[in-house]
Amino acid sequence: MNDAAPAPTPAPAPRSARVRAPELIGKGGWLNTGGKELSLAELRGRIVILDFWTFCCINCLHVLDELRELEEKHRDTVVIVGVHSPKFVHEAEHQAVVDAVERYGVEHPVLDDPELATWKQYAVRAWPTLVVIDPEGYVVAQHAGEGHAHAIERLVEELEAEHGAKGTLRRGDGPYVAPEPVATDLRFPGKAIALPSGNLLVSDTTRHQLVELGPDGEGVVRRIGGDGQFKEPQGLALLPDGKVVVADTVHHALRTFDPATGEIELLAGTGRQWWQGQPTSGPALDVDLSSPWDVAWWRGKVWIAMAGVHQLWTYDPETETVEVAAGTTNEGLVDGPGDEAWFAQPSGLAATEERLWVADSETSALRYVDPEGAVHTAVGTGLFDFGHRDGDAAQALLQHPLGVTALPDGSVAVSDTYNHALRRYDPATGQVTTLATDLREPSDAVLVGDDIVVVESARHRLTRLRLPEEAVRVESVAHRTQRAATEVAPGRLQLDVVFQAPAGQKLDTRYGPSTRLLVSSTPPELLLTGEGTGTDLARELALNPEVTEGVLHVSAMAASCDDTASHSGSAAGANEYPACHMHQQDWGVPVRLVEGGTSRLPLVLAGMDPAEAS
């Protein structure tokens, strides 16, 4: 028995920034609170984590999953508040936010902020961004991108100790009120295929199942995998041997389902999410994947729309290996050879003999891969241009399409999700038309005889349409993101990516530089100097005064490891293999060049911008 007095707990390092958190405002109101409006004053005494997200964004969905364990573990001290901050026009619709909160199992209060009022108050520049507010109402940390849950957990523990000792921590139940469940045969279905039997197989995403329906698309024949084998499954593809490959999205895996025997087997993935620096090829069961969203059989391989890392991968059944086929992991719209092309959340695939069609959702684009592996764009111009415009493909607009279906005449039908429409692109004429409107978030479509069956995801059903001989004409609508452009001065612009290693961690320099910064622009002429890759997170850019507006594309990474020497009190106690963490974020920053604009652009990866602290 040890009668010695316990050693005092070391006080957390002081934080210099004392920025009062602005109030939470949003015209859409509150969800998951039982109709009650919340304020920061009511949450005083709790640790508040604001999650700025938008439901189109795969990185935001990853963060929702990252936060679940922390949310449960610290439920009596931490209140997570989702601040829904739309990119697309459709995402500003209140019912669409209601649907998304149910679709992705969000179990905390959500503020619907369609005009980005709170986003602007907190000077947020990226989806997702996490802001931590202490029990006294001060902002103490900001993190952009994924992979910060470990750092926030450490900070939460420090705040619990600090404010518990001060008497400013208030424990108790949070303000979350669960919505009433709704009974339907399908709940936010994702993708569908026709089986050789004539039945239809649907990924019933929110219920984590596959559902086999009769030829009418309504009668349930059987449910598959309701025992945790799938987690938010999406894409389906029929293989030559009669099995179905399934994109098991949140499990970061591919599985096969055999309709004849009912057996489900793991095909690829480890169950862990892929991060920068990990293998991009190798035995399929040894390589991590990242949110596979759709699959297609093309040229002897399974092609995978790897939405989580903006790439296309393949699975080779002969060698049982996976590898990257196209995309660099940078987010944007760049054509060319596969290893140079950029995608932005590819979410739908359809194969023809000569082309693999891709619905590239975040660029609102229809793209394709040719037999040589080069990437081309048929419709779409970039991350911030979208709408509903028919006509010549060079000026046509889509809005966040999630699906594409090859048609018998060589054209393709596009599930134009956020326009609630089914569109058609004809490569022979280069024209885009509208096949049907008044759908609700269509996410896929499958040909059945002379009909096309559309997955109406937000109506929780399949809808059968007769393929029209002539397309519907709709009034042209063009949009740009509501996100305001940053006014910058022409000429010199100082770009500072702010990164402060979380408490108890240090930059990992064991194998060379621990940071990387990649900068480019749209149009390319916007940047006179400063483009390219380097290891310094600060860079001086020169902006072309003859280009009045554009987008700066910034990708930053930083690697940090647990500083075990500081924990043990001496270097002798350090672990030779400390736990290491990757912090990564891509920004697309719309800028407008004006005299008198700012000459410094800070982007917070983790920590607080010293210039903002007071």
Side-chain angles (χ1 to χ4, degrees):
M1 184 174 181
N2 185 355
D3 294 327
T9 302
R15 285 175 289 272
S16 58
R18 295 290 288 174
V19 179
R20 176 66 74 178
E23 192 48 82
L24 305 177
I25 52 175
K27 283 196 172 180
W30 288 89
L31 306 176
N32 284 354
T33 63
K36 176 181 172 62
E37 292 194 4
L38 299 182
S39 69
L40 284 180
E42 294 175 71
L43 299 176
R44 195 65 53 80
R46 310 298 290 274
I47 300 163
V48 178
I49 300 173
L50 303 183
D51 176 15
F52 289 87
W53 70 298
T54 189
F55 63 78
C56 73
C57 164
I58 189 67
N59 310 94
C60 299
L61 303 186
H62 289 167
V63 167
L64 283 174
D65 289 332
E66 287 178 7
L67 291 175
R68 293 187 202 280
E69 184 177 345
L70 182 147
E71 190 169 25
E72 182 60 35
K73 183 177 179 182
H74 298 273
R75 190 169 289 279
D76 66 334
T77 59
V78 171
V79 174
I80 296 177
V81 174
V83 183
H84 189 269
S85 312
K87 171 186 174 181
F88 290 99
V89 170
H90 169 59
E91 293 175 306
E93 297 177 15
H94 182 69
Q95 185 57 47
V97 181
V98 173
D99 289 343
V101 167
E102 179 189 349
R103 183 194 297 261
Y104 297 115
V106 180
E107 295 184 352
H108 51 247
V110 173
L111 174 64
D112 180 11
D113 182 18
E115 297 179 350
L116 302 181
T118 297
W119 165 288
K120 294 169 186 173
Q121 287 276 76
Y122 282 82
V124 175
R125 295 185 183 275
W127 296 278
T129 290
L130 298 170
V131 175
V132 182
I133 301 170
D134 73 12
E136 294 179 294
Y138 290 96
V139 175
V140 292
Q142 182 170 327
H143 301 267
E146 303 178 51
H148 301 293
H150 62 279
I152 291 177
E153 167 119 18
R154 178 71 181 271
L155 177 58
V156 164
E157 291 171 351
E158 285 187 3
L159 291 171
E160 286 176 339
E162 177 184 343
H163 289 273
K166 290 172 63 176
T168 50
L169 182 70
R170 178 169 56 89
R171 296 178 179 270
D173 293 334
Y176 170 68
V177 177
E180 290 292 325
V182 181
T184 53
D185 284 338
L186 301 174
R187 205 69 193 161
F188 298 104
K191 307 286 186 181
I193 58 169
L195 297 173
S197 65
N199 289 346
L200 296 169
L201 188 66
V202 185
S203 54
D204 196 19
T205 303
T206 299
R207 294 212 177 103
H208 314 294
Q209 295 178 328
L210 308 182
V211 177
E212 185 175 343
L213 302 174
D216 62 358
E218 295 183 7
V220 175
V221 176
R222 58 175 163 169
R223 296 182 179 274
I224 301 117
D227 51 2
Q229 289 169 296
F230 299 114
K231 192 169 184 182
E232 295 184 23
Q234 286 284 349
L236 307 168
L238 191 65
L239 299 179
D241 64 2
K243 293 182 180 179
V244 176
V245 60
V246 183
D248 193 2
T249 304
V250 176
H251 276 150
H252 307 294
L254 301 185
R255 300 185 193 275
T256 56
F257 163 64
D258 188 339
T261 66
E263 290 186 1
I264 298 171
E265 295 182 349
L266 181 63
L267 188 70
T270 64
R272 297 183 300 269
Q273 182 182 340
W274 184 92
W275 287 95
Q276 287 286 351
Q278 293 177 327
T280 56
S281 64
L285 297 177
D286 296 339
V287 177
D288 297 343
L289 308 181
S290 182
S291 298
W293 207 273
D294 203 5
V295 283
W297 177 257
W298 191 53
R299 297 185 168 261
K301 296 181 180 180
V302 175
W303 285 69
I304 310 161
M306 203 73 78
V309 285
H310 318 299
Q311 291 180 315
L312 303 181
W313 289 38
T314 59
Y315 167 79
D316 186 336
E318 291 191 4
T319 60
E320 297 183 345
T321 57
V322 293
E323 65 179 351
V324 175
T328 65
T329 75
N330 295 113
E331 184 177 11
L333 194 153
V334 176
D335 290 339
D339 60 357
E340 298 176 10
W342 292 20
F343 292 94
Q345 221 168 291
S347 301
L349 300 175
T352 64
E353 187 174 344
E354 292 300 320
R355 294 182 178 183
L356 179 72
W357 293 97
V358 183
D360 201 28
S361 61
E362 279 293 286
T363 53
S364 297
L366 173 65
R367 309 180 69 188
Y368 64 91
V369 181
D370 67 25
E372 285 70 48
V375 178
H376 309 262
T377 298
V379 183
T381 57
L383 285 166
F384 300 108
D385 297 303
F386 50 89
H388 192 149
R389 181 191 287 155
D390 289 331
D392 187 75
Q395 56 84 52
L397 294 172
L398 309 170
Q399 186 180 178
H400 197 80
L402 291 179
V404 58
T405 307
L407 300 179
D409 63 357
S411 65
V412 291
V414 179
S415 295
D416 194 7
T417 310
Y418 289 2
N419 279 327
H420 310 301
L422 192 67
R423 310 285 293 283
R424 176 178 179 261
Y425 169 69
D426 186 352
T429 64
Q431 295 293 300
V432 175
T433 51
T434 298
L435 294 174
T437 57
D438 194 30
L439 301 168
R440 187 68 187 172
E441 292 192 20
S443 54
D444 197 20
V446 58
L447 280 174
V448 179
D450 294 329
D451 296 339
I452 189 164
V453 176
V454 180
V455 180
E456 279 199 89
S457 184
R459 282 200 178 116
H460 319 292
R461 71 186 189 193
L462 304 187
T463 298
R464 184 179 294 262
L465 304 172
R466 181 57 54 103
L467 275 173
E469 294 183 9
E470 294 187 11
V472 179
R473 301 298 300 183
V474 299
E475 187 176 344
S476 174
V477 179
H479 298 295
R480 283 184 67 85
T481 178
Q482 290 190 42
R483 185 177 167 192
T486 299
E487 293 190 345
V488 297
R492 176 188 172 279
L493 178 66
Q494 179 63 37
L495 172 65
D496 291 327
V497 173
V498 177
F499 178 76
Q500 297 159 0
Q505 296 179 28
K506 62 182 179 180
L507 288 175
D508 179 13
T509 56
R510 292 172 298 162
Y511 308 109
S514 59
T515 56
R516 190 189 79 165
L517 179 65
L518 172 65
V519 180
S520 63
S521 66
T522 304
E525 297 77 21
L526 174 63
L527 275 176
L528 295 175
T529 62
E531 184 180 13
T533 303
T535 58
D536 193 341
L537 292 182
R539 186 178 301 178
E540 184 173 303
L541 312 179
L543 304 182
N544 187 347
E546 296 181 6
V547 179
T548 57
E549 62 180 356
V551 178
L552 290 175
H553 303 282
V554 180
S555 178
M557 289 192 304
S560 65
C561 286
D562 291 348
D563 187 359
T564 52
S566 66
H567 295 174
S568 61
S570 69
N575 182 353
E576 186 180 354
Y577 303 104
C580 295
H581 313 277
M582 182 67 71
H583 313 261
Q584 179 183 3
Q585 175 62 20
D586 294 337
W587 291 268
V589 184
V591 295
R592 182 179 300 113
L593 275 62
V594 296
E595 293 297 336
T598 184
S599 60
R600 177 176 180 263
L601 179 61
L603 300 175
V604 177
L605 178 60
M608 297 285 288
D609 179 13
E612 295 292 327
S614 59

